[in-house]
Structure formats: C-alpha cells, structure tokens
Amino acid sequence: AKPFRTYQLNNDPSQQIINFCADGDAGTFAVDCSLSADAAICEEMFGSLLMMPFTLTVDFFCSMMCGPSQNNGNPKCFLPPTALIAKGSQEVDLLVGTTIDSGPVGAPGSPSSVKPVQHKTNPMIRDAVLNFKYSFQLAQPAPFLLGLEDPGLRKTNSQAVTVIVDNQDIVRRIFSPGEIINMTVAEIVEVAGAEWNYTMVFRGSEFIVTTNCFTAQRDLPPALYWGQIDPVSPREELPLCMIAFTWLQASSVSYSTTGGFARDVTIRVTALRGDSFSRLPSVQFSLLNLVSLAVLLSIPPAFTGLLARSGLGPLSKIYRQATQEKFDMPMQLATAGLNSIANVATFGSLASSTLSKEELKVCLRDAMATSTKNLEERDLDRLTNFIFEKDPRYPRGARKKPQDTMESYGKDDKIGE
C-alpha cells in the first residue's frame, strides 16, 4: 500500500482521468442504458445484457484512499492489492476497474425493474510497483574445451547487469547484479510506447515482457542507445540482460454472470521466453570456420583462371597454352634427334636456307658414331625420314613437294604416323 498513499490525482498525466474523478474525490455519474445518449457506452460494457427485460443504470465512480476504519464500510475506498491475480510466475493482472451488480431487479414493467450497476475505476493503479526476477540457462551443452566453468549452470538477475529498453531501443534504466528490478505500471506503459489515459483504465491493456541476455558486444541491437547511462559491455562472466515491454493490445476485459453480472478491467503483464544466445569458445567451430575460409579463398583464383582461359578471345589461347602444356611424343622425339646433331653440324652450308635430307643423314651418322650400338643403314634412313617429316622446327618452306624428294620407304618405316 505504500506507493498508493502518496498518489495525487492532480498529478495524473491524463486530464481525462482528472476530470472524471472530480479532483481526487469519488465522483458519481449515472448512466441509463435505456437512453440513446448512453447507448454506445452501455453497448461496449454490457453487450447482450441489454436484451434483458430491465433497464440498466450504471453508477460510475473512482476509488480513493481511505483510512483503516473506512475500508470495510465504504465501497469507494481503494484496497491496495496484497496478492495479485497471478497465473504461475509468468502472468499478473492488475485490476484497474470493475463493474458489479449493486442491487436486486424487480418484475418487468414495475419501477423495481431497474437494475443498478456500479463501476469503480482505480486510477492509482498506475503507481503499482511490480518486482521482476528472471533466470537464464544454455539450451544445449557448451563445448568441453578451453576451461569453461559451469557453462550450463542456471543464472539469475543476481549474476547479470539488467537494463530496461523501450520500444525504440533506448536504455531507460539500469540495475546492477543483485539489485531489485522494480517497475511501476506508469513506467511499463511508457517504455512500451502506450499512453496512460482514461481509455486504458476503462478498457485495460495487455503487455508482454521479454528478457534477452548476451555475452558479446556484437550481439547487441545495432540501434541500442544508452543516452545519459554509461554503456556496459557484456562478457561471459557478467552477461548483459535486456528487459523489453511490448504493448500487445488495448483491451483486457473479462465478464462473469455467475451469481450476478461482473466485468473486470485489468492491466495484464505476461512474461515470455526470450530468444537470445550466448557465445562460447569452441575448437570444433573454429576448425569449421578455417575449412570454410580455405574453400572460399580458393574461389577467386578459380574464377579468374576460368575467365582468362575462356573469356578473353584470342588471348585466352595463350593463357591455355601457358597453363595446359600439350605433350606430343613424335614431336619430342624429332626434337631430340635434331638436338643430337647440334654439335656435329658444320658451317659449310651457311648459304643454304636449310639442310637437305642427305645432309641431315650425314649429320645423324656422325652424331651416332660415338654410340656403343651400331646403327644399321636402314634404321638410319628411317630416323632421317622421321625427323625430316615430324619436327615442326625443321624448315619445310624449301620443299614444295617433300614426297617427291624423299626416298621411298614402306608403311612400316613411317614411325609415328
């Protein structure tokens, strides 16, 4: 009850509530649901109850703080909630308004057929203080390497720094580890982006609160703004937990017809599980990243090579020859034959453009003279014919018809054909 004793209606941010509650005194405003002027508000509040064969008369008033001696006798006194309507530990309802029967109904058509109803509004609920506690734990086992200390242990707000973040990612409040996290209803409405007014106390509202904890700076929202609060960097041994409120809907009303008509208007706060995550060192994940990095680094050279070999027109032919050398066995043998006569060829025929086949044969005979094996004449002719025909470096421009000048030899003598 302590927060409500200092409540002053004139300090309420809503002028509608101040006017309705008559400057702090319990104001009474009768509404007759049989009148067209009051049809809209009655339809919203009672709906199908208007089809009953009686007239509804609603007495609206605001509750007020009373002394201990008045609480039992005056229905207009506000009773501070000592035990909130809680469902488990994740949902709480604050009764901001209630509508109940206030008398019996007579027979239809008689003066007593008027059904009196009372609606009490509790504007001072905006000063109600809610205390929050939370816990967090890894959803899957942490890596067993690198000396982690109890990574799967459940932790609470006593082991983390807590901040309250509004709907624009602005840090509004900060709580040290172990500090009590308390929020008034007015603060919850503000950080959720809603507006405290008579519509809220008449229809109620639903809010969702989520808590997300982080252990790395890069995981925080990029638009997080600290303002006048000193920024805090989360780390593994001291996480940073962010509490955010979301305005779900601008209505929270429940009806009951058991033992008479009742309509409760509440401000409901529901806690949902967050979706944050924690970063822990892992050798397995590091190796996986290294392998992925090696694969990604191999893509640019492969793409560049493909482009050079196939996408540059005539220049690609040069690149292909530089990267893919073709080995022609007959050409290599013929080249080796010419290299063997390089040291025995004389300079007697410098005036001619090329060696004739007979001169080539003489040079080959001289080159093979030092060989341990005697080369027969027939083998020497076959070698001469093979080199003369196969080596592309041998100038053939002087021979217009080399077949006419070559010595005739059989099919078996055509080495490499």
Side-chain angles (χ1 to χ4, degrees):
K2 183 177 180 180
F4 307 107
R5 294 195 183 103
T6 59
Y7 174 80
Q8 296 291 332
L9 180 65
N10 290 332
N11 296 331
D12 196 287
S14 173
Q15 188 63 39
Q16 290 178 322
I17 296 178
I18 294 176
N19 295 337
F20 176 77
C21 293
D23 296 331
D25 296 328
T28 299
F29 306 89
V31 174
D32 190 348
C33 293
S34 63
L35 302 177
S36 58
D38 300 331
I41 188 172
C42 290
E43 175 69 24
E44 181 176 354
M45 291 185 63
F46 305 108
S48 60
L49 197 65
L50 298 178
M51 305 302 295
M52 300 297 179
F54 47 74
T55 300
L56 294 177
T57 301
V58 187
D59 184 18
F60 289 90
F61 62 90
C62 294
S63 61
M64 59 183 180
M65 292 298 298
C66 302
S69 60
Q70 297 176 303
N71 285 340
N72 295 330
N74 189 350
K76 298 181 180 180
C77 292
F78 173 71
L79 299 178
T82 56
L84 299 177
I85 303 175
K87 299 178 181 179
S89 60
Q90 296 183 336
E91 188 172 276
V92 62
D93 288 338
L94 294 172
L95 191 63
V96 71
T98 181
T99 306
I100 58 174
D101 293 341
S102 60
V105 181
S110 64
S112 59
S113 63
V114 176
K115 184 178 183 62
V117 180
Q118 288 184 344
H119 178 79
K120 180 171 65 173
T121 300
N122 302 317
M124 57 195 69
I125 282 294
R126 69 181 300 272
D127 286 346
V129 179
L130 299 181
N131 295 334
F132 293 89
K133 295 181 179 180
Y134 61 84
S135 62
F136 55 97
Q137 185 180 17
L138 290 178
Q140 60 184 7
F144 60 94
L145 299 175
L146 302 179
L148 298 178
E149 298 180 0
D150 296 328
L153 184 64
R154 179 182 294 272
K155 297 182 179 180
T156 66
N157 51 288
S158 298
Q159 291 90 32
V161 177
T162 306
V163 294
I164 306 297
V165 182
D166 64 10
N167 61 331
Q168 297 181 352
D169 288 338
I170 299 176
V171 178
R172 293 300 188 92
R173 296 182 63 184
I174 185 170
F175 300 90
S176 302
E179 186 178 355
I180 298 177
I181 304 173
N182 49 42
M183 294 281 291
T184 65
V185 173
E187 291 174 329
I188 294 175
V189 172
E190 181 181 2
V191 299
E195 181 183 358
W196 176 263
N197 51 30
Y198 181 73
T199 302
M200 182 169 292
V201 299
F202 185 73
R203 296 180 180 176
S205 284
E206 290 190 28
F207 299 92
I208 291 177
V209 55
T210 55
T211 304
N212 291 299
C213 299
F214 303 95
T215 58
Q217 179 70 30
R218 61 181 179 273
D219 296 328
L220 298 179
L224 188 64
Y225 178 69
W226 291 86
Q228 301 298 324
I229 300 177
D230 294 334
V232 176
S233 297
R235 54 186 188 274
E236 185 180 336
E237 59 273 12
L238 187 61
L240 176 65
C241 296
M242 301 168 53
I243 297 180
F245 293 88
T246 303
W247 189 20
L248 182 61
Q249 61 180 8
S251 178
S252 180
V253 181
S254 61
Y255 297 89
S256 174
T257 56
T258 303
F261 176 79
R263 176 181 181 269
D264 291 335
V265 181
T266 60
I267 292 180
R268 174 171 295 177
V269 181
T270 304
L272 298 182
R273 182 184 297 272
D275 55 359
S276 56
F277 57 92
S278 177
R279 292 186 181 270
L280 299 174
S282 171
V283 174
Q284 178 182 0
F285 193 74
S286 300
L287 292 177
L288 179 61
N289 282 342
L290 288 177
V291 173
S292 302
L293 180 62
V295 173
L296 292 176
L297 289 178
S298 65
I299 293 178
F303 177 76
T304 304
L306 178 63
L307 179 64
R309 292 190 299 269
S310 59
L312 300 181
L315 190 59
S316 296
K317 183 177 180 180
I318 300 176
Y319 285 119
R320 285 196 299 269
Q321 292 176 352
T323 57
Q324 301 174 358
E325 183 178 1
K326 295 182 179 180
F327 186 83
D328 188 353
M329 180 62 74
M331 181 175 58
Q332 296 296 328
L333 292 175
T335 302
L338 285 178
N339 291 336
S340 66
I341 68 172
N343 296 326
V344 298
T346 61
F347 296 97
S349 301
L350 289 178
S352 61
S353 60
T354 182
L355 291 173
S356 65
K357 187 164 64 171
E358 289 75 13
E359 293 172 334
L360 178 62
K361 182 178 180 181
V362 172
C363 291
L364 287 174
R365 181 182 289 110
D366 295 339
M368 298 299 176
T370 58
S371 177
T372 57
K373 294 183 179 180
N374 295 326
L375 191 64
E376 297 181 358
E377 190 69 20
R378 185 172 180 271
D379 295 333
L380 186 59
D381 291 338
R382 292 172 62 185
L383 180 59
T384 302
N385 292 335
F386 177 76
I387 296 176
F388 195 81
E389 289 296 317
K390 292 299 179 183
D391 198 304
R393 295 180 299 177
Y394 194 85
R396 297 184 182 183
R399 295 182 287 110
K400 298 182 179 179
K401 291 184 178 181
Q403 293 83 359
D404 297 340
T405 60
M406 279 195 296
E407 184 179 20
S408 177
Y409 54 92
K411 183 177 180 180
D412 294 338
D413 295 334
K414 294 183 178 181
I415 301 176
E417 288 290 334

